[in-house]
Amino acid sequence: MGGTRFGHVRGCIVCPHSPEARPHERAPCPPCVQLLQKFVFLAERILARDDSPEGYRYESLRLQKLFSLTTLEWRGMAEAAAVPFYEKALDSAVMQAKPVSAAQLAAVRDSLGITEAGANGMHADIFGKCAASMLESGSFAASDKERLSTVQALLAMDSSFTSKTLQSLTSPLYSSTFSEVLAEVGGLDGDADDSMCARQSGKLALRQQELLLEASDAHAIEAEALRAKSKESLAEAVKFLRAQNVPQGLEVVRKLVSFCERLSGFMVSIDHAEGPAEAALPRLFGGLKGEMKQSEVLALYRVLLLHYLEDLKIDEEEARSLARLRAVLDLSEAESTSVYQAAAGPLFRKAVQKAVEGDALGASQKDELSESLSNLAL
């Protein structure tokens, strides 16, 4: 009977809340499988009442053999049929807030034969559903924190799982608020003043409170948003350089360096990053190149370097700007030195050619050449 009628059901009997089945993308079971699932579920509930472990094992194995099922498949079918009943119990306890204790809920779970792995998946789903319903207005109400703690205790969920679920819901909301802050601070011509910093810091603090975010989690979201924004600029600059549009590429690189400098100072000023700003910049923006070709990375540094070398010297502010770009691109000292020598060499030859124009070098030409050598460190 089992070998001919139900032998094709394997692969359709995984519990929909088991790790193998989540997220819920499995196709609905055919009617014959649903019928067998119900039979297995009822048989398991009856057999589980046997006081003799040997009697339970014997009858269970006999039925498994009858339907050509392995023990794992048998248990999977029993749990799959039990899932709707436990989901209904969870909805009643969590979403409808009907009075029930953790012990009573655990007893229901045990009576239905729901495994720990299956229960954990359903608990995460119902907790997320509950939290999402609270966030429909865009923020948690004052009473929601206590309610979430109550639900967590009812479901006996570890705080690491609930935190992960909440972060998946609140991270996009906080990231959206931080993007607004980025737009305001990043769009300034200079550094944010004390008034701007206080206003934006208060805005972010309020949003953290509304979303029940820990400071460390909020700072991680901020860091990710900063890097994502900077990577966009970096990709834009590379795109211009690939098209041989050096002026546009240079403009984007200069804006990127200014953005990183300004935001590093801002994050330090609102105590969301450890200062000083120059030390915070490599931590916030260091190594943005990712999988970029090294030749493109060097080209980005070279275009800014050549811009600063137009007057055959690099002043202190320009040197600091280049240092910031080196940190963003994660360039080694040897790499930046190589780029510098390749860029400064032709400029030196140009300076020599200019100095020797005429029949002989005069004192002024010699002084000019000496000054170029000194400025170019050659």
Side-chain angles (χ1 to χ4, degrees), residues 42-231:
L42 293 173
E44 184 67 15
R45 302 282 67 74
I46 294 173
L47 295 176
R49 297 178 182 177
D50 196 324
D51 294 332
S52 169
E54 292 78 9
Y56 164 80
R57 188 179 303 109
Y58 172 80
E59 293 297 338
S60 177
L61 289 175
R62 188 172 67 85
L63 289 173
Q64 291 169 30
K65 184 178 181 181
L66 177 64
F67 292 103
S68 301
L69 297 174
T70 66
T71 299
L72 182 61
E73 290 170 338
W74 173 272
R75 292 175 180 172
M77 277 197 152
E79 185 171 12
V83 162
F85 298 102
Y86 191 55
E87 286 178 331
K88 185 176 181 180
L90 288 175
D91 184 79
S92 175
V94 176
M95 301 306 296
Q96 300 177 42
K98 292 185 178 180
V100 63
S101 67
Q104 290 173 326
L105 193 61
V108 171
R109 182 171 66 248
D110 291 340
S111 68
L112 291 173
I114 301 292
T115 63
E116 182 179 356
N120 288 342
M122 284 185 277
H123 290 173
D125 286 346
I126 197 67
F127 183 86
K129 183 179 179 181
C130 178
S133 68
M134 296 175 180
L135 278 173
E136 288 180 353
S137 63
S139 61
F140 287 113
S143 60
D144 288 341
K145 184 175 182 180
E146 182 178 355
R147 172 59 181 158
L148 288 171
S149 297
T150 300
V151 173
Q152 177 182 342
L154 176 66
L155 301 176
M157 292 183 68
D158 188 90
S159 58
S160 61
F161 291 106
T162 56
S163 296
K164 185 177 180 180
T165 299
L166 289 177
Q167 285 177 24
S168 68
L169 295 171
T170 57
S171 290
L173 298 175
Y174 186 77
S175 182
S176 177
T177 300
F178 187 69
S179 294
E180 296 173 2
V181 173
L182 277 186
E184 290 193 47
V185 178
L188 297 174
D189 292 331
D191 294 335
D193 57 23
D194 292 342
S195 176
M196 168 70 81
C197 289
R199 185 168 66 255
Q200 300 300 341
S201 177
K203 181 178 182 178
L204 293 174
L206 176 61
R207 199 60 175 134
Q208 288 179 37
Q209 183 179 356
E210 291 175 340
L211 298 175
L212 303 179
L213 274 172
E214 296 291 336
S216 58
D217 295 328
H219 295 174
I221 296 170
E222 293 164 0
E224 184 178 351
L226 285 170
R227 294 181 68 83
K229 180 67 175 177
S230 302
K231 284 183 177 180

Side-chain angles (χ1 to χ4, degrees), residues 349-367:
R349 288 192 293 272
K350 182 178 179 181
V352 171
Q353 183 178 0
K354 180 180 179 181
V356 299
E357 287 178 352
D359 296 333
L361 288 177
S364 62
Q365 286 88 353
K366 289 181 180 180
D367 291 342

